Amino acid sequence: MRPNRPTAGPETCFSPAADAPQRQPKWLSGYGWALVAFFLASFLVLPAVGQLKASDRVAPEMLNLLETRCFGCHGEDEPEAGLNLAHFQTIGSVRLDRDTWEKVLRRVVAGSMPPGDASAITDEERAELGRWVDDVLHNVDCSDALQPGQITIRRLNRGEYRHTIQDLLMVDYEPASFFPGDDAGYGFDNIGDVLSLPPVLMEKYLSAAEAVSRLAIQAPEDFQPVEIDIGLSGFEFDNDTNRLSEGLAFLTSGEAVCKVEPKEKFEGQLRLRVVGQQAGDEPCRMTVHLDRRKLGSYKITQDEQQETIDIPLRMGTGPRQIRISFDNDFYRPDAPEGRQDRNLLVQGVSLLAKAGTPAEPSAAHRHFFIAVAAKKSEEEPVAKKLLGVWASRFFRRPASENEIDRLTAVYAAARADDASFEQSMQYALQAILVSPKFLFKAEQPPPADGTSRRLNSYELATSLSYFLWNSTPDGALLQTAHERDLQDDELLRAEVRRLLADPKADRMIRSFASQWLQLRALDLSQPDPELYAGVDRELLADMREETELFCRDVFRNNRSLFDLLSADYSYVNSRLAGHYGLDPVKPEDGFVRVSLGETARRGVLTQGSILTVTSNPNRTSPVKRGRWILENILGEPPPPALPDIMPLEQQKLTGTLRQQMEQHRADPACASCHATMDPLGFALENFDAVGQWRTEDAGGPVDASGELPSGEKFNGAVELLKVLQERKQQEFIRCLTEKMMIYALGRGLRYEDQCAVNEILKRLEANGYQFEELILAIVESPPFRQRQKDTN
């Protein structure tokens, strides 16, 4: 049976409708409505906090074991490391704080808890404690129907917003990259529980709605310069005295630089809003450059008042640099009060496109106006039809008649106020763009009685497209959702394969890979330039590109997921080939696939990106590398370091790095965790802090041998990878599956999700661990297709 759907005509079957204001939409009054919508949205996104039932008491014999062996150090009174185990009196409370007990389990199994100086614990008791914790955390009764759980309503993140605007309106709204950064949870930036709506983002949405509507729709009133904010956060100073505070604050002479990359030739003006704090016998002076070309020098004559400086500007496509310098710093403490210090504050930098009527409408304009009024009497019916279609597309379900009427009222009020037809449509589009029904990925709540419900076709289409495309469903997917039940297994599989085959699936691959493998940390990496000459921003960007292209190859060609660890090929350009010591690649060829042959490089673990983000600026870090493998490959993150442990550099240790680590590990408080992390990291020691091959360290030969607590021995990266594939393959596949599932659902995994994970692992084993099977298994799983209210 098909799920219930709102009724709609064929023009409005492509999404929900907008919360449009019913009063006339002069620009500020339109924003007034938008603020109300945002306040409503804020209430919608408050996450529901569920509590587990506390009726299932811990068995007396196990509680007695915990009291005698654990509570002495981790009881109510001043618990060591802040870990109080005494308040865990029920099975439910243990499962509710699963992360804590996962760490307890690892410490118990490794033999570091209880420590040797605690009351004696027998091997039998240790095994009993380990079995109990493992059973409570991991043994789920999957005989009943799988519990899909609930997902917190969330807003679109920056990437999803930009891609959605681009796909629907043919407008690449690049300033979306200057929205406040998205918080991350469980390693990903699409988690509903952490995607808050700060006031500054509300302001950005409002200004974005105006800019996007003007870029999409060309109105006669708008053939004036279109101002595009460059964003002050993109500037970097050349010294530490100047700072980013309420603008670019030049407290001494210096320069601020920002990179821009026009998609097409630009002709117009560069607008600067500046404030001078005057002192001395001359006004503030500044100079502005585009790359090496001087645009001009300027005097700021007002004191403590904002001035606007418009500079004629032409530039072609490609990366460019805007440089602003403060030229005449002055400081005289003995000068009259208020005249001792001359400073410069730049409060805004923007581009103003050259005014002028275009010869013909833009592609985006033609794309928006799928219907045109031949005469004025036809304008309002055409406007209503257009708004029905576009509201439906933006809200990802058919717009209701009430919603369309409210949007049409926005258009009509503007038209009655002598706005042109096109500008009136801009106002209505702005109402759509600030509606919570566009900005938030909302779903109907699950039944209050705790039973599960299937997502309707529109909700499932939305979840599917934002998972695989980082964007809204296309017209074909929404039309399918309108006409058929997307919950049909064969239909759902067909749509998954269609979306994966589309180039837009590359967005998912890059986004997932960069977050799972922590490639974004490369943006913060600063290898010591004296030790690693030539490792600059461009080379670090090349490292990231290599890993993303490699993951794309594995995923796009539906290879075995184990190839991520063991593949004997990669993608390099001329710079990376030279960095790695591989056969030369012609610069004009860009990135090409190369065989790694007899080298010791295999899969992602030996790529420069991973090796750099897991190193310190001036040396490798076996601890960071080992921890990274545990977290991202084996899914077994170690507990954080104890707060009173001194960093390695501050300890009086001698010898090679490995010898220093062995001295550090002699501390019983450190031994258990390092016994697992360090061998993994040591296996990569033939690669320096920026991923180059080496055979010596600190004047001695590199020792890349290691042995895990479970007895596996290896020497070097290749043997480690063999151990990981042969003996740790299930841990890797489970880790990757859980990471992809978190990314797909937009929430962390719950205790009950293990049943779904186990079913996915069975499917992968039966189908050669192929990437497409992983995606299909996740999409077809109950947590992706159903919702159930948390009643615990």
Side-chain angles (χ1 to χ4, degrees), residues 14-59:
F14 293 143
S15 74
D19 285 319
Q22 294 184 351
R23 57 197 184 115
Q24 67 95 12
K26 289 198 175 214
W27 186 229
L28 289 178
S29 64
Y31 275 179
W33 166 82
L35 288 173
V36 173
F38 274 116
F39 279 116
L40 291 175
S42 297
F43 285 105
L44 286 174
V45 297
L46 288 175
V49 179
Q51 296 294 327
L52 291 174
K53 293 180 180 178
S55 58
D56 45 349
R57 307 285 298 179
V58 174

Side-chain angles (χ1 to χ4, degrees), residues 213-287:
S213 67
R214 294 177 69 181
L215 290 169
I217 301 173
Q218 293 175 314
E221 297 92 336
D222 288 338
F223 293 121
Q224 302 170 10
V226 176
E227 187 168 356
I228 302 175
D229 183 24
I230 289 180
L232 298 177
S233 62
F235 280 86
E236 294 183 356
F237 284 108
D238 62 351
N239 62 56
D240 296 331
T241 302
N242 300 321
R243 63 179 183 268
L244 189 67
S245 175
E246 303 299 325
L248 302 177
F250 289 88
L251 306 181
T252 186
S253 296
E255 184 176 79
V257 179
C258 179
K259 292 182 179 179
V260 295
E261 189 168 355
K263 304 298 182 185
E264 54 188 27
K265 292 182 179 180
F266 175 85
E267 184 174 356
Q269 293 174 313
L270 176 67
R271 171 167 290 180
L272 280 71
R273 294 181 173 87
V274 298
V275 175
Q277 181 181 354
Q278 306 294 354
D281 58 0
E282 62 176 341
C284 294
R285 295 199 313 270
M286 71 174 185
T287 300

Side-chain angles (χ1 to χ4, degrees), residues 285-303:
R285 295 199 313 270
M286 71 174 185
T287 300
V288 182
H289 286 80
L290 177 68
D291 297 327
R292 298 180 181 274
R293 177 164 60 94
K294 181 178 177 180
L295 299 180
S297 294
Y298 306 91
K299 294 180 180 180
I300 295 87
T301 58
Q302 300 295 317
D303 187 20

Side-chain angles (χ1 to χ4, degrees), residues 281-351:
D281 58 0
E282 62 176 341
C284 294
R285 295 199 313 270
M286 71 174 185
T287 300
V288 182
H289 286 80
L290 177 68
D291 297 327
R292 298 180 181 274
R293 177 164 60 94
K294 181 178 177 180
L295 299 180
S297 294
Y298 306 91
K299 294 180 180 180
I300 295 87
T301 58
Q302 300 295 317
D303 187 20
E304 304 286 354
Q305 295 183 14
Q306 188 182 89
E307 298 181 41
T308 299
I309 297 176
D310 289 336
I311 306 170
L313 179 66
R314 289 183 179 182
M315 57 180 173
T317 59
R320 314 302 293 269
Q321 280 191 341
I322 294 174
R323 297 190 288 127
I324 303 171
S325 63
F326 176 37
D327 301 332
N328 61 336
D329 181 43
F330 174 89
Y331 178 68
R332 286 279 300 276
D334 57 343
E337 184 176 354
R339 306 292 295 178
Q340 299 100 335
D341 194 7
R342 181 190 300 135
N343 297 308
L344 172 67
L345 178 65
V346 179
Q347 295 184 320
V349 181
S350 56
L351 295 173

